Amino acid sequence: MPKTVDAADPRHASGRALWLLGPAMVAGVAYLDPGNVASNMTAGAAFGYLLVWVVVLGNVMAWLIQYLSAKLGIVTGESLPQILGRRLHRPWARRAYWVQAELVAMATDVAEVIGGAVALHLLFGIPLVWGGAITGLVSMGLLLVQTRRGTRAFETVLIGLLVVIAVGFSFGLFFAPPDPAGVVEGLVPRFEGTNSVLLAASILGATIMPHAIYAHSALARDRFAPPSPSGVEAAAAPAAPASAADARADLERARGISTPRLLRATRWDVTIALAVAGTVNLAILLLAAANLAGVDGTDSLEGAYAALRDGLGPLVATLFAVGLLASGLASTSVGAYAGAEIMHGLLRARIPLVVRRLVTLVPALVILALGVDPTLALVLSQVVLSFGIPFALVPLVALTARTDVLGRHRNRRATTVAGVLASVFLITLNVALLWLVFTGG
């Protein structure tokens, strides 16, 4: 039997601790996709500091949600789509659930490819359609890294892109810091009309992304899969072991590391990833609020780039565009990974990541070819994501609260209550959005 690593043993603490980090950083890339940039830039330019509280609240809820997703993957050795695919016994139910999840994944791809296309246009003057195609091709290369070099290499590349994103979007604040009083005032929850609710839903859809919930459980599963052939696949197989408790025990023995230690490391992983993502998202909104509020033409990424160039100089604007490009390339790779896992878990069919990348690239290229305003498409795609949140979040909270799924690692009562409150809040916001849009309120 493999020896379980003791978390308290100083001989193993440093090297092992670093090895345990990574999956949340990859999932965190999804929180910094071009949809986030468009939503936060538009919110800051249109309403100043009004929606700061939405970014902060969204990041707090995201921490809980991503931790629950990772915990599900670690304890069970299965992803959320796999577990749902096994529990939805009727084929029509699995297919219906897959359709909504697939629409969400496609909306994600639209945002990420369009963002990369806009960035290439701003940096090099490349037409949007060709920029979208280039973004798709480069993302295929990133997916090949995951396929051929493994999960760890994929994580390393994406974490490198995450650093580029953070620098690109935060650099301008050193030249034009926000108003502290305005930031504090923006922490008070409130709206100002239908458009502010629309942008709030867009920010939350970009922050708490359904495909990131699906992906993180799969990333944790793949990252901590046992090295032996009798690992995750055997533990998750219906015939053996005889019970979920036996499966969890077999999984822990095969890994050679205790589940409690993995969960402790995962909490750190999620905290670091969401601290980075939340800080950068807030920096984007504050940059727009401090420099673009009331400036004509800043309701688009191209206009925001021009305003930053004219107001803060070409270096800030160029770094912003580079960050946008890195955002599109990194996040579209995570989106394709999530989409493949959704299809595998719910339809029990595997499609190569590169093939999936080609299929989901088409809608984004069509939108670009039709001349739809890229920023509008980005913001609306985030609203679609917001409506997909309950379908991922409600099952996640329910499953992680069940003893027959997680055993002694099930949620505590307070955790389940927090998850339920987050679900109710997000669903209520979406209902309010529908009411305001269709009644003209």
Side-chain angles (χ1 to χ4, degrees):
M1 179 186 299
K3 182 179 179 181
T4 300
V5 178
D6 184 0
D9 188 343
R11 295 173 299 173
H12 300 286
S14 57
R16 277 287 199 168
L18 289 176
W19 178 81
L20 296 176
L21 301 180
M25 299 297 287
V26 175
V29 167
Y31 291 82
L32 292 170
D33 79 334
N36 289 82
V37 182
S39 297
N40 290 317
M41 289 293 288
T42 303
F47 294 100
Y49 301 103
L50 177 71
L51 299 179
V52 166
W53 68 274
V54 178
V55 177
V56 174
L57 178 62
N59 209 63
V60 171
M61 291 191 294
W63 187 97
L64 172 64
I65 293 164
Q66 292 307 132
Y67 172 66
L68 293 182
S69 176
K71 181 168 75 167
L72 186 70
I74 289 170
V75 177
T76 66
E78 294 182 288
S79 67
L80 177 59
Q82 277 181 296
I83 295 174
L84 290 174
R86 184 159 45 78
R87 287 176 170 263
L88 294 171
H89 300 295
R90 298 182 181 276
W92 66 265
R94 286 201 312 275
R95 290 170 190 147
Y97 192 94
W98 170 76
V99 167
Q100 66 79 26
E102 193 67 37
L103 288 175
V104 166
M106 291 181 72
T108 302
D109 252 356
V110 166
E112 292 155 354
V113 172
I114 288 177
V118 170
L120 288 171
H121 177 71
L122 294 176
L123 289 169
F124 307 110
I126 298 173
L128 290 175
V129 175
W130 286 107
I134 293 171
T135 301
L137 288 174
V138 174
S139 69
M140 285 184 201
L142 295 178
L143 291 171
L144 287 175
V145 171
Q146 195 272 343
T147 302
R148 297 184 178 180
R149 300 293 300 275
T151 303
R152 192 59 171 169
F154 185 59
E155 289 175 3
T156 301
V157 173
L158 290 188
I159 290 172
L161 288 173
L162 184 61
V163 173
V164 175
I165 294 167
V167 172
F169 291 147
S170 305
F171 190 75
L173 289 179
F174 293 99
F175 290 86
D179 173 31
V183 176
V184 173
E185 186 179 356
L187 293 172
V188 179
R190 66 195 190 281
F191 295 109
E192 290 181 3
T194 305
N195 287 338
S196 66
V197 179
L198 175 66
L199 281 170
S202 181
I203 290 171
L204 288 173
T207 304
I208 305 169
M209 305 186 78
H211 82 283
I213 299 175
Y214 298 126
H216 202 166
S217 60
L219 287 164
R221 176 204 64 195
D222 292 348
R223 182 70 157 73
F224 302 117
S228 65
S230 59
V232 171
E233 295 296 332
S243 69
D246 291 338
R248 290 190 294 270
D250 287 351
L251 192 61
E252 183 167 324
R253 283 194 295 270
R255 283 179 178 141
I257 185 169
S258 69
T259 298
R261 186 179 185 211
L262 284 178
L263 295 178
R264 284 193 295 271
T266 295
R267 286 193 286 272
W268 277 106
D269 195 21
V270 174
T271 299
I272 295 169
L274 269 297
V276 173
T279 300
V280 175
N281 275 319
L282 189 58
I284 296 169
L285 188 147
L286 296 180
L287 182 65
N291 300 280
L292 305 182
V295 179
D296 293 335
T298 54
D299 54 349
S300 68
L301 288 174
E302 296 92 332
Y305 170 84
L308 290 174
R309 182 191 59 207
D310 296 340
L312 300 180
L315 176 60
V316 172
T318 300
L319 286 175
F320 172 81
V322 170
L324 181 62
L325 178 59
S327 168
L329 293 175
S331 55
T332 193
S333 302
V334 176
Y337 175 91
E341 183 59 36
I342 289 168
M343 181 171 288
H344 168 57
L346 294 169
L347 297 187
R348 300 169 185 172
R350 282 198 180 275
I351 293 181
L353 283 173
V354 174
V355 174
R356 177 169 179 90
R357 167 74 280 175
L358 286 171
V359 172
T360 55
L361 183 62
V362 173
L365 295 181
V366 169
I367 288 175
L368 291 172
L370 291 175
V372 176
D373 177 62
T375 303
L376 176 61
L378 284 171
V379 173
L380 291 179
S381 72
Q382 303 312 295
V383 176
V384 173
L385 293 179
S386 183
F387 284 103
I389 290 170
F391 293 97
L393 181 53
V394 172
L396 175 68
V397 174
L399 288 169
T400 52
R402 294 178 65 98
T403 304
D404 61 331
V405 177
L406 294 189
R408 64 190 177 94
H409 302 293
R410 70 187 185 280
N411 296 341
R412 296 178 180 177
R413 186 182 299 273
T415 303
T416 300
V417 169
V420 170
L421 290 176
S423 303
V424 170
F425 173 79
L426 293 166
I427 293 170
T428 302
L429 182 63
N430 289 330
V431 172
L433 173 63
L434 282 175
W435 174 262
L436 290 172
V437 169
F438 288 107
T439 62

